[in-house]
Amino acid sequence: MRFTLNGSAVDVAAHPMKRLLDVLRQECGLTGTKEGCGEGECGACTVLIDGAPVCSCLVPFAQADGATVVTIEGLGGTHPLQQCFMDEVGAQCGICTPGMILAAAVLPAGASLEEIRIGLAGNLCRCTGYSAIYRAVQAAQSRRT
Amino acid sequence: MTQSVGKSVSRKDGIGKATGATKYADDVVLPGMLHGRTIRSTIPRGTVKSIRFDFDTTGFTIVDHRDIPGTNVVALIRDDQPYLVETEVQHVAEPILLLAHADRDVLFAAKVVIEYETLEPVYDPLASAVSFKEISIEKGGVVASLAGAEIVVEGEYRTGHQEHVYIETNGVYAVPEEDGSITVHGSMQCPFYALKALKGLMGPATPVRVVQTETGGGFGGKEEYPSMIAGHAALLAMKSGRPVKIIYDRVEDMVATTKRHPSIVRHRTGLTRAGQLIAMDVEVIIDGGAYATLSEVVLSRGSIHAAGPYRCAHTHIRARAMKTNTPPNGAFRGFGAPQTEFAMEVHMDRIAEQLGMCPVALREMNALVPGDTTATGQTLRRDASALECLREAVARTDFIRKREAYRGTSKGIGLALFYHGAGFTGAGEERLRSRARLDLTGRGVRILVASTEIGQGTRTMHAQIVSDAMGIPYEDVEVAMPDTAVSADSGPTVASRTCMVVGRILERCAQEMKARLAGRTPAEYLDTVGPLSVILEHVPPPWINWDDDTYQGDAYPTYAWGCDVVELELDPDTYEARPTHVTAVQEFGRPIHPALAQGQIEGGTVQGLGFALLERVVMRDGAMANPTLTNYTIPTTLDTPAMDIVMLENHYEGGPFGAKGLGELPIDGPAPAVVNAIRHIGLDLRSIPAIPETLLTCASL
């Protein structure tokens, strides 16, 4: 399957019905994408496909054909959201963090608190009660503008 | 003057988590590694009659109880739980066999057929004839005082199971080493608990070592159960001679591992007409599940907190943990106190109602203040802040006015006053004799303790304490991953003790290290003198006096205090209660790292809201019938209201820089505050979770 992964053209051999989550973690060695439930409820496995956040545990690899896929590794390490999640303690145990950051990365600039809440409603965090995550996202937004 | 304590410095582990670079157990793949799987019982009670392998066993490693070189028991408190069933099955999802294979798909396709002879299971703790532990805490004379009381108020309150839902499911991997030993790496809170259990399991011929991997949440759920999984992986690794990884999927994690103990608490309370508490007779029953595990200590903490943060001359608390044929219940943040404090606080609002009193005035009149004695006869020192928390919460929420203004609407406002003892109960810390270790490095020091980072900020907070106590930059303090081969046994990461108890030992280690350096830099010392390691032991306060037989004395060296106010709205059509605002005022000595502390309060509060409103474990035929995140729902962003967090300070002289324990306190208050707010709307609710189906059946007040 040929697709664009974190900005580079790749050609990965795996069964077309294998979960994209497993292909990313196993064939591509990108373990920043986490499995929390395997049924699309928790959002820990969130990646961006053609710019949209999806649960990679629900996506058969065949759907990656020709697509642009971005994982947490694709943000580098200097994305404002990553810095703000550190500064605002938006990450506690860290297992939901990659998915949470990717879901936050596609929120519109200047999103209100209500829009942030709706945008992150598919990503569960059991540690923070979400408040620190809102603070991190808002800090990153003000940094971007 | 402190340099880093009291400041929200960068988390030690922030960047790895924000970039996804941090490796959790499932992210590690070793050459030749096999996947492990647990074959579990499908009946609640009975005996195994036959086992048949309905698959080609070529390439499989298969382990049963006969492969255990040591003792078939998960050593903890009372050694009653086997690693693998021999013949008797006590609950659904009990481990019977272990399989390993290189190919995960082949492994999970394997079919094992087990035939059983079934026995009648017991599910109701009230119908159970077997108790794991009974506790009686008596002060004064309750019977006579109740008989003479002007008013007596009675009530029964119930709480359900709660599942931890750490987002990282349980996982470990075991590695057979060249010297014949086995190292187990895994997601866990208590590496030395796992070590103790593994030593018994593997016997003297196989040395074992335990190393924590980055842990994606615990909340008590990774206190004792990882000892079980570690043992299973070690057995498979020993038999196969290869590394073996066991990762539970969400369903297995929910069906097989521990939950918060369901509770039934009955109160009979005598008062004066003016509202003064005269006598409290409290009965606590918790459902322990099929094995003792930690039930007796959960019961202990629960019963000690059962009289709430109130002064009462005559109290009798009778508590028991009952055996049922369900998976063992275990540690969950709060450890019995959220259940008993729920009952007390809902009962207090019912008392206020019967007396025609304001719930605030009733609490003001009876709240514990310095110099008062608790139910165990402990005299509180000056660091008791119930009234301060109550008054701050009432003032900033405009509680009294809203209480009037919302009357007759679908809006409600309720509060709960609560406290939480920090550290092990009674003589527990003295028995533990925790140690901490500090090693000199070229730049500064390295912390080597068994206290695990599970998200709460152990690494960061410990490094701050050491940094300030030594007078070196925070950046020059490293924190080693807990490893039983090198870390000092600082005890389990539980009981709100990691900051107050372990942090205090580290503070003393740092002071000692500083004195030894005598003005030299770490590099100078290493060059001229050589390596330096400081190991010190916990010293409990000299005034602690506790009697385990009578349950009298100083149950905890100190308590943290809190008052929560919940505002909510009831949908008149769907009977959904939705919280709209929560205020949490909490005093825990002093925040070492304000942002981390705030995160503990916010996170614990939301877990408490889930416990109160959403989280319902459906037990059917002895097993969780809704073991998915689709059917067992925890709060999402949309279920989580705005929160106002207030941190009050009242330093505890026995903690590092005045700090007490905080981890558990925040989960004690939300549930009763929610139910009291629902009561304010006019529904007589006495159990949680307060799902619409339950609210529909509540009597109107």
PDB file of all heavy atoms in Angstrom, chain B residues 2 72 173 224 613 639:
ATOM      1  N   THR B   2      12.253  28.915  48.769  1.00  0.00           N
ATOM      2  CA  THR B   2      12.456  27.715  47.969  1.00  0.00           C
ATOM      3  C   THR B   2      12.649  28.095  46.507  1.00  0.00           C
ATOM      4  O   THR B   2      12.146  29.118  46.054  1.00  0.00           O
ATOM      5  CB  THR B   2      11.239  26.783  48.076  1.00  0.00           C
ATOM      6  OG1 THR B   2      10.087  27.491  47.668  1.00  0.00           O
ATOM      7  CG2 THR B   2      11.051  26.275  49.497  1.00  0.00           C
ATOM      8  N   ASN B  72       1.576 -21.860  44.718  1.00  0.00           N
ATOM      9  CA  ASN B  72       0.510 -21.369  43.836  1.00  0.00           C
ATOM     10  C   ASN B  72      -0.390 -20.385  44.588  1.00  0.00           C
ATOM     11  O   ASN B  72      -1.552 -20.678  44.860  1.00  0.00           O
ATOM     12  CB  ASN B  72      -0.294 -22.546  43.293  1.00  0.00           C
ATOM     13  CG  ASN B  72      -1.360 -22.097  42.296  1.00  0.00           C
ATOM     14  OD1 ASN B  72      -1.314 -20.965  41.795  1.00  0.00           O
ATOM     15  ND2 ASN B  72      -2.302 -22.986  42.012  1.00  0.00           N
ATOM     16  N   TYR B 173       5.747  -7.724  30.449  1.00  0.00           N
ATOM     17  CA  TYR B 173       6.511  -8.726  29.700  1.00  0.00           C
ATOM     18  C   TYR B 173       7.613  -9.266  30.597  1.00  0.00           C
ATOM     19  O   TYR B 173       8.190  -8.550  31.400  1.00  0.00           O
ATOM     20  CB  TYR B 173       7.043  -8.193  28.367  1.00  0.00           C
ATOM     21  CG  TYR B 173       7.961  -6.997  28.437  1.00  0.00           C
ATOM     22  CD1 TYR B 173       9.353  -7.163  28.459  1.00  0.00           C
ATOM     23  CD2 TYR B 173       7.449  -5.703  28.462  1.00  0.00           C
ATOM     24  CE1 TYR B 173      10.200  -6.067  28.504  1.00  0.00           C
ATOM     25  CE2 TYR B 173       8.293  -4.604  28.516  1.00  0.00           C
ATOM     26  CZ  TYR B 173       9.666  -4.783  28.533  1.00  0.00           C
ATOM     27  OH  TYR B 173      10.487  -3.700  28.589  1.00  0.00           O
ATOM     28  N   GLU B 224      -2.566  -4.263  43.083  1.00  0.00           N
ATOM     29  CA  GLU B 224      -2.320  -5.668  43.383  1.00  0.00           C
ATOM     30  C   GLU B 224      -2.434  -6.601  42.171  1.00  0.00           C
ATOM     31  O   GLU B 224      -1.736  -7.604  42.103  1.00  0.00           O
ATOM     32  CB  GLU B 224      -3.249  -6.155  44.501  1.00  0.00           C
ATOM     33  CG  GLU B 224      -4.729  -6.309  44.152  1.00  0.00           C
ATOM     34  CD  GLU B 224      -5.539  -5.027  44.279  1.00  0.00           C
ATOM     35  OE1 GLU B 224      -4.969  -3.945  44.070  1.00  0.00           O
ATOM     36  OE2 GLU B 224      -6.752  -5.098  44.567  1.00  0.00           O
ATOM     37  N   LEU B 613     -22.671   9.509  38.778  1.00  0.00           N
ATOM     38  CA  LEU B 613     -23.707   9.716  37.765  1.00  0.00           C
ATOM     39  C   LEU B 613     -23.716   8.746  36.595  1.00  0.00           C
ATOM     40  O   LEU B 613     -24.772   8.502  36.002  1.00  0.00           O
ATOM     41  CB  LEU B 613     -23.571  11.138  37.199  1.00  0.00           C
ATOM     42  CG  LEU B 613     -24.022  12.247  38.138  1.00  0.00           C
ATOM     43  CD1 LEU B 613     -23.455  13.588  37.693  1.00  0.00           C
ATOM     44  CD2 LEU B 613     -25.541  12.309  38.200  1.00  0.00           C
ATOM     45  N   ASP B 639     -19.391  15.657  29.456  1.00  0.00           N
ATOM     46  CA  ASP B 639     -20.016  15.315  30.739  1.00  0.00           C
ATOM     47  C   ASP B 639     -19.365  16.056  31.899  1.00  0.00           C
ATOM     48  O   ASP B 639     -19.766  15.885  33.051  1.00  0.00           O
ATOM     49  CB  ASP B 639     -19.870  13.804  31.006  1.00  0.00           C
ATOM     50  CG  ASP B 639     -20.475  12.981  29.891  1.00  0.00           C
ATOM     51  OD1 ASP B 639     -21.661  13.163  29.608  1.00  0.00           O
ATOM     52  OD2 ASP B 639     -19.745  12.166  29.290  1.00  0.00           O
TER      53      ASP B 639
END
